[in-house]
Amino acid sequence: MNYRHAFHAGNFADCMKHALLVWLLRALARKPAAFHVLDSHAGIGRYRLDSEEAQRTGEWRAGIGRLMDITEGPLADYVALVREDGGYPGSPALAAALLREQDRLSLVELHEADHATLRATFRRDPRVATHRRDAWEAVRALTPFAQKRGLVLMDPPFEQPGEYERLTAAIAEVNRRARGLVQAAWYPVKGRAPVRAFHAALAETGVRDILAAELHLREPTDAARLNGCVLVVVNPPFGFEDAARDILAALHARLATGEAGGGWALTRIADE
């Protein structure tokens, strides 16, 4: 409840998560049938990089600030959406920008003030529903979707103990309730041990077809720093592996700090 994403909007982790998310949403839109997107930790949906919070940390300057001149290549679609937004679009704004008339978006945010802002932002869009409720309860309650196709995005702030366990349980539950849905789960990399344990726990759930897209700024030896991040994708659409490699490589080329241990990887946690 204490986490406010306005301080971190547009940082390198956002860029990685959102560039891959845009590709996943475009892939869902290839087919004419409607799809549904559920964002479990929606925040306020859209951020101002000239806000007091964003200016205080300045994290966006080492993230989206290094990408805004891109007009071609694997990051061009994502960056164009950011430019069109005029601020920094969080995952709700990016998803809303890519919805078609028949598609639907469910946004979940527990923080009272943030939910009020989120609701006001999307109140005129009939395709979007906002919910003030616990994310993990909402993931169970709002799946499966009537549309049968869709994506569940889960990106908790990892400020409370047990987030990896809750994320593992949620992925397994969504897979049980709606096996064909794409799932995308973001998490930070501060040390290696929690990531290894999380990947092992995912493999033990029996969920199939899981990929982990990883971006690292440095060797994760200082657990007090955000050294990298990972987006785990369940049921990745056709072409995701090749696209993710290109996106991760382009992000690293632009955002690398030159520190030892930086890089990117695409790892298969469970086979199809």
Side-chain angles (χ1 to χ4, degrees):
M1 290 293 292
N2 294 324
Y3 180 85
R4 306 299 294 278
H5 193 66
F7 291 96
H8 313 289
N11 67 4
F12 83 92
D14 260 2
C15 294
M16 180 266 206
K17 174 176 60 180
H18 292 149
L20 292 171
L21 175 64
V22 166
W23 191 94
L24 291 170
L25 292 169
R26 293 288 195 196
L28 285 171
R30 290 177 198 151
K31 297 181 179 180
F35 65 83
H36 195 133
V37 177
L38 169 60
D39 188 337
S40 67
H41 297 77
I44 64 173
R46 178 176 285 112
Y47 302 88
R48 290 183 53 177
L49 298 181
D50 61 355
S51 69
E52 179 184 351
E53 295 89 346
Q55 290 297 313
R56 188 184 305 177
T57 62
E59 290 184 18
W60 65 271
R61 295 187 178 90
I64 192 61
R66 295 186 180 182
L67 307 180
M68 289 299 286
D69 64 332
I70 291 175
T71 58
E72 57 184 24
L75 300 178
D77 191 10
Y78 157 62
V79 174
L81 289 168
V82 176
R83 280 198 297 265
E84 290 169 13
D85 184 85
Y88 186 79
S91 48
L94 289 169
L98 297 177
L99 292 183
R100 303 162 301 176
E101 184 178 354
Q102 68 268 37
D103 302 324
R104 295 295 180 264
L105 173 62
S106 295
L107 303 175
V108 178
E109 177 54 50
L110 184 58
H111 190 284
E112 184 175 6
D114 285 359
H115 175 263
T117 302
L118 182 73
R119 184 176 182 180
T121 297
F122 295 100
R123 68 185 183 277
R124 298 184 185 279
D125 192 333
R127 305 167 303 170
V128 181
T130 61
H131 304 262
R132 184 175 178 239
R133 61 202 301 181
D134 174 75
W136 308 118
E137 180 273 331
V139 166
R140 292 190 299 272
L142 300 177
T143 58
F145 303 139
Q147 292 79 8
K148 306 301 182 185
R149 304 175 58 237
L151 181 148
V152 178
L153 174 65
M154 295 174 276
D155 58 340
F158 284 86
E159 285 201 331
Q160 298 178 357
E163 293 284 46
Y164 283 110
E165 291 77 9
R166 285 186 283 272
L167 193 54
T168 302
I171 289 171
E173 178 69 11
V174 170
N175 187 74
R176 184 187 69 81
R177 296 172 64 83
R179 184 163 297 180
L181 292 180
V182 178
Q183 297 189 65
W186 178 94
Y187 53 95
V189 176
K190 294 187 175 181
R192 291 195 181 279
V195 172
R196 291 196 190 103
F198 178 52
H199 288 188
L202 283 178
E204 290 173 3
T205 63
V207 176
R208 310 306 305 163
D209 200 5
I210 308 177
L211 284 172
E214 309 179 32
L215 180 66
H216 301 275
L217 295 186
R218 64 188 70 85
E219 190 73 25
T221 54
D222 184 355
R225 303 180 71 186
L226 179 59
N227 300 302
C229 60
V230 182
L231 190 74
V232 159
V233 180
V234 179
N235 295 324
F238 177 78
F240 177 76
E241 290 191 55
D242 289 339
R245 289 188 183 97
D246 291 342
I247 289 169
L248 292 170
L251 285 168
H252 184 256
R254 284 286 185 126
L255 304 181
T257 59
E259 297 174 77
W264 62 272
L266 193 65
T267 305
R268 180 160 287 279
I269 297 174
D271 292 330
E272 297 181 41

